[in-house]
Amino acid sequence: MKKITISLFVILFAFMATPLRADQPKWMQYVKPSGSFQFGATLEQDFAYSLYVRRARVAVSGTLLNDERYGKFEYLLRANLVGTPGLLDGYFKYSYRDIIGVQVGQYRTPILLENTEVSSTTVEMIDYSLVTQRFCHFGSLDLAGISASGRDIGIQLFGKLFPIAEGHHLIAYNAGVFNGAGINKRDDDQRKEYMGRVMIFPIKELCVSGSYVRAMGPHPAIAPEYNDYNWYVYDRYGGGLYYKSKYGWFRAEYMRGHTHGWLSHGAYGTLGYNINQHWDIGGRYDYFVTNVHNAMATTYHHFTGGFTWRPWTFFKLQVNYSYNMDPGVSPYHQALFQATVVF
């Protein structure tokens, strides 16, 4: 069934990607196809290497309504074609001017700035930070055991307040409830995630954020001897700072939280400089402590640096070098390469 669904989605995408003709229906003006493809390679310090297709995605989006009186109505459908094909993003959102809006469906959750303000095609380093991977249901390293590309199914309110200038508001906010089960699946344990985030923009290029997440629901693995189980499953709380201009970027975030009884925390800081429209250089340091009560045996330190080359607007090549200090193993080196095509 999944293969049939993805095949139909690809056929639909190809049809919609054809140039508009005068005899095509008017509704096709509200459809925008897009996609991305990422090919990667990893070289280990013993010269073992691996080649892989990291991501291949197609999407259809559009704005169905954009009216000063009635607000704005948008939608997005994005499919993942690598690994297990399936729906990645699928949502609609309605906003009344900039003050308030509602988003319903499956999409990136508003926890860390790195999870929502940069995408897989615009993130500065090839890999996301440790704190994002472990606290945002991003991959196999997630502490709650949910690998969902930083996404979930839910509903949230969002908006911007206190306009200062054209395209600049002082405050932006998100508040929502999510299944907490991952993507493309129903809530199978009645455990809900409640999230809230506030972003303050003193100037247009600078964002200061704070966020809080709590997951509540039955979890028999914690206290199986009780019929009511333990309804407090995990929480996350932290803040960040993000500055981006035509000259470069700086972003740092810290998050702390409990997961099934363990207290963990982590942070990262990334800094970069845009040499010109084709080249930029940058670096990142991030650490993560899985269990603060056994920090010596559960602390990670990663140092990453590299450059990005953009010969054309639709293509970029990233090269990273990483020096990693992980618990239980000797420090090791890695070289990572990634080519990205967007259309």
Side-chain angles (χ1 to χ4, degrees), residues 59-78:
V60 177
S61 62
T63 301
L64 304 180
L65 175 69
N66 191 2
D67 187 272
E68 181 69 21
R69 294 172 299 171
Y70 302 113
K72 190 175 184 180
F73 191 95
E74 304 166 271
Y75 74 91
L76 171 67
L77 293 172
R78 178 181 286 119

Side-chain angles (χ1 to χ4, degrees), residues 1 11 28 85 111 115 123 129 143-144 147 149 166 171 176 193 212-213 220-221 240 244 247 250 264 280 316 324 340:
M1 185 62 183
I11 294 172
M28 290 198 69
I111 304 177
N115 193 46
V123 66
S129 67
L143 292 185
S147 178
S149 300
E166 183 67 26
I171 294 176
E193 283 188 349
Y212 179 76
V213 181
K244 185 176 182 181
Y247 302 107
F250 170 74
S264 311
D280 66 56
K316 74 174 182 179
N324 304 322
T340 301

Side-chain angles (χ1 to χ4, degrees), residues 27 34 38 48 105 146 149 186 196 225 324 329 339:
W27 60 265
S34 61
Q38 292 181 312
I146 301 172
S149 300
R186 295 190 178 189
E225 66 273 20
N324 304 322
V329 298

Side-chain angles (χ1 to χ4, degrees), residues 290-301:
T290 305
N291 182 5
V292 298
H293 300 297
N294 189 19
M296 291 294 292
T298 63
T299 299
Y300 297 76
H301 296 277

Side-chain angles (χ1 to χ4, degrees), residues 57 74-79 87-94 101-112 114-119 136-138 146-159 173-185 193-197:
R57 297 170 177 177
E74 304 166 271
Y75 74 91
L76 171 67
L77 293 172
R78 178 181 286 119
L87 182 69
L88 195 64
D89 295 286
Y91 65 80
F92 66 82
K93 60 181 180 180
Y94 168 80
V102 60
Q103 184 173 6
V104 177
Q106 180 171 288
Y107 47 91
R108 287 179 178 264
T109 52
I111 304 177
L112 290 168
E114 191 175 54
N115 193 46
T116 58
E117 305 309 299
V118 293
S119 67
C136 294
H137 304 332
F138 202 87
I146 301 172
S147 178
S149 300
R151 295 164 169 85
D152 208 337
I153 299 172
I155 179 172
Q156 71 167 339
L157 297 177
F158 64 92
Y173 67 89
N174 303 80
V177 56
F178 297 84
N179 278 346
I183 59 175
N184 301 325
K185 60 187 297 186
E193 283 188 349
Y194 302 90
M195 301 184 188
R197 184 176 68 184

